[in-house]
Amino acid sequence: MGVNKKIVFSASPGGRLTGNIRVPGDKSISHRSIMLGSLAEGVTEVSGFLEGDDALATLNAFRQMGVKIDGPESGRVTINGVGMHGLKQPDTALDLGNSGTSMRLLSGLLAGQGLDLTLVGDSSLSSRPMKRVTQPLAEMRANIETTDAGTAPLRIKPVEQLQGIDYPMPVASAQVKSCLLLAGMYAQGKTCVTEPAPTRDHTERMLQGFGYPVEHTDGKICISGGGRLKACRLEIPADISSAAFFLVGASIAQGSELTLQHVGINPTRDGVITILKYMGADIQILNRRDVGGEPVADLRVRSARLKGIVIPEDQVPLAIDEFPALFIAAACAEGETVLTGAEELRVKESDRIQVMADGLQALGIRAEPTADGIRIQGGEIQGGSVESHGDHRIAMSFAMAALRAKGAIKINDCANVNTSFPGFVALARATGLDISVAE
Ligand code: S3P
């Protein structure tokens, strides 16, 4: 999996983004399609699947547990579901690479299966907090060991029976919520999770699509154990988190006009559009439609003069993965942009507050990291060299910064772009970013 540190992006200054493109499938939904399709009765047909390393890590984990999965081929995957209790003991540890979603959701999904399993990941994933899932799972009577630091490897041991809990979630995390709902399918009684703020609800939507009831009232989401999943057809929309780089790129590069087709605009994911519009971006939402229980639209973005803003804290969970790209928009905006309430950014694939602040400073932008956010003063982006620390979204964000830079931007350690956005460089080139890759 993508740990080739020698991939370097080099993006020439200037240019504009034009055309009509479709970015790859939604990562969150792709993971969930494999998970629920594997546990369903019957054959689930998926289209628009993200063929990136993260979703493939989930796919391979289920293959290792005996599920016959055909594809992916041009985004098509066929999953021969084994039913709620049909997974087999794998021969080796499940290697989830860089994927936090795989590890956190699988820890819940697998906690009550009577299997003895080990979940491992790469160095980034092995330093991310896992107690946030293992602690509530222990309250459900799961038996999962972490390292003393509360990190992976996770060792999941068989237990008699999970018990439902009523869990007020301390952080607004869709991964924690989803982990507990998936465990709740195997628990006695009801499992409820209360969110401090709305987070992405793909798990709830997809469970319902597979015929498994979920109740949602006033931020409290409940599931009862002992149900079944029925196979279905899934069409996965393009990932708004991948579209975000192009929304920012086209906004900051003068003369741009770009259409992004078939983008998922689930209201628990659309913070990037809201925030960019507050900054003055010109984004039109066209052809709104519903595809398999998820709202989808085409997004037309034209360049605009952006202004710095104070980002409303209620938008933070709705744009949690898009802040690296939004920080580039802030660097190109007139005035100051202030982000608070976003401490979660420090425990993503990298410490996204520090790593973005370091990179922006290296390019001559005033960026002051704070405990829970950042202050960025819009200015002139210079050429230079930045470190992505193996974080896909940092790499792609700095690539877009070149559109407004005075000199070339070199970005180190970019192999992990393949975790979420295979084909990024080719698509960015096709729309007008002069980017090349060196190994
Ligand atoms: C995800 C939830 C978010 C997000 C991640 C994908 C998901 O993580 O950052 O990329 O698919 O549930 P948190 O739940 O930790 O905020």
Side-chain angles (χ1 to χ4, degrees):
M1 237 158 272
V3 282
N4 182 352
K5 294 229 168 201
K6 295 196 189 78
I7 299 278
V8 176
F9 285 178
S10 198
S12 302
R16 63 197 173 107
L17 300 186
T18 57
N20 193 328
I21 60 168
R22 179 165 171 166
V23 300
D26 188 277
K27 181 154 76 72
S28 292
I29 302 177
S30 294
H31 282 297
R32 288 157 171 82
S33 71
I34 298 292
M35 294 177 189
L36 298 190
S38 294
L39 297 178
E41 289 161 30
V43 177
T44 291
E45 305 270 1
V46 182
S47 62
F49 183 79
L50 170 65
E51 297 181 38
D53 292 341
D54 276 13
L56 292 172
T58 292
L59 188 154
N60 286 328
F62 280 90
R63 274 195 183 134
Q64 271 181 268
M65 292 185 285
V67 182
K68 185 173 172 293
I69 304 175
D70 302 322
E73 218 185 284
S74 308
R76 292 192 178 275
V77 180
T78 304
I79 309 161
N80 297 274
V82 295
M84 296 301 287
H85 298 281
L87 295 179
K88 303 247 164 26
Q89 178 84 37
D91 297 333
T92 53
L94 302 178
D95 184 354
L96 304 171
N98 192 242
S99 177
T101 308
S102 307
M103 188 165 284
R104 297 214 180 97
L105 270 58
L106 283 184
S107 65
L109 186 149
L110 297 171
Q113 304 255 356
L115 302 174
D116 191 332
L117 302 140
T118 304
L119 309 185
V120 300
D122 70 5
S123 62
S124 154
L125 182 53
S126 303
S127 64
R128 296 180 64 185
M130 291 297 148
K131 285 277 187 219
R132 55 178 60 195
V133 289
T134 58
Q135 220 157 342
L137 287 171
E139 285 179 38
M140 296 178 77
R141 302 196 194 160
N143 183 353
I144 305 182
E145 285 169 10
T146 65
T147 66
D148 289 343
T151 55
L154 301 184
R155 174 81 192 275
I156 303 176
K157 295 191 175 154
V159 289
E160 272 302 308
Q161 169 77 64
L162 298 181
Q163 296 292 327
I165 53 168
D166 198 332
Y167 188 65
M169 205 166 42
V171 281
S173 164
Q175 292 182 352
V176 175
K177 170 180 64 174
S178 301
C179 164
L180 299 179
L181 294 176
L182 294 171
M185 298 194 295
Y186 293 89
Q188 206 161 48
K190 222 178 198 187
T191 298
C192 296
V193 184
T194 306
E195 305 188 286
T199 67
R200 67 190 67 192
D201 63 359
H202 306 301
T203 303
E204 299 92 300
R205 287 175 188 251
M206 199 183 286
L207 279 166
Q208 270 152 343
F210 276 87
Y212 202 120
V214 180
E215 292 164 41
H216 190 168
T217 26
D218 295 334
K220 182 168 182 167
I221 301 113
C222 297
I223 193 166
S224 294
R228 287 152 66 169
L229 298 162
K230 287 181 271 315
C232 62
R233 256 176 206 282
L234 291 170
E235 189 185 332
I236 300 178
D239 197 328
I240 191 169
S241 298
S242 296
F245 305 108
F246 289 90
L247 292 176
V248 168
S251 294
I252 63 174
Q254 216 187 352
S256 296
E257 177 167 347
L258 188 66
T259 301
L260 295 151
Q261 300 160 15
H262 209 75
V263 180
I265 53 158
N266 181 313
T268 60
R269 294 284 299 282
D270 67 358
V272 64
I273 299 176
T274 309
I275 293 168
L276 282 173
K277 281 190 169 172
Y278 285 152
M279 296 177 79
D282 178 356
I283 301 172
Q284 282 176 282
I285 301 177
L286 308 170
N287 306 321
R288 284 177 190 268
R289 54 211 183 262
D290 210 74
V291 176
E294 290 279 350
V296 167
D298 302 324
L299 304 180
R300 184 186 296 149
V301 51
R302 295 190 180 95
S303 43
R305 277 175 76 94
L306 301 181
K307 57 179 191 303
I309 60 163
V310 175
I311 297 173
E313 287 198 5
D314 64 359
Q315 291 300 313
V316 170
L318 313 180
I320 193 69
D321 290 337
E322 287 66 72
F323 284 105
L326 286 166
F327 294 171
I328 300 300
C332 298
E334 206 179 299
E336 189 180 52
T337 296
V338 182
L339 173 68
T340 55
E343 50 276 270
E344 275 294 298
L345 293 182
R346 292 199 179 271
V347 291
K348 294 294 180 189
E349 286 83 328
S350 69
D351 176 344
R352 287 181 172 162
I353 291 175
Q354 193 60 50
V355 173
M356 284 302 299
D358 291 346
L360 287 168
Q361 286 165 9
L363 301 177
I365 294 293
R366 274 172 53 200
E368 184 196 326
T370 60
D372 68 340
I374 196 165
R375 303 177 84 91
I376 297 171
Q377 194 68 45
E380 205 167 76
I381 299 177
Q382 306 302 314
S385 183
V386 298
E387 299 298 328
S388 80
H389 289 269
D391 186 326
H392 53 139
R393 302 201 196 281
I394 305 271
M396 291 184 274
S397 299
F398 280 117
M400 289 297 170
L403 290 161
R404 275 280 284 274
K406 295 287 156 208
I409 297 181
K410 192 174 144 218
I411 308 149
N412 290 313
D413 202 358
C414 295
N416 279 337
V417 165
N418 278 332
T419 61
S420 68
F421 202 149
F424 168 75
V425 168
L427 202 55
R429 284 187 70 82
T431 56
L433 179 68
D434 186 3
I435 181 172
S436 60
V437 183
E439 293 200 24

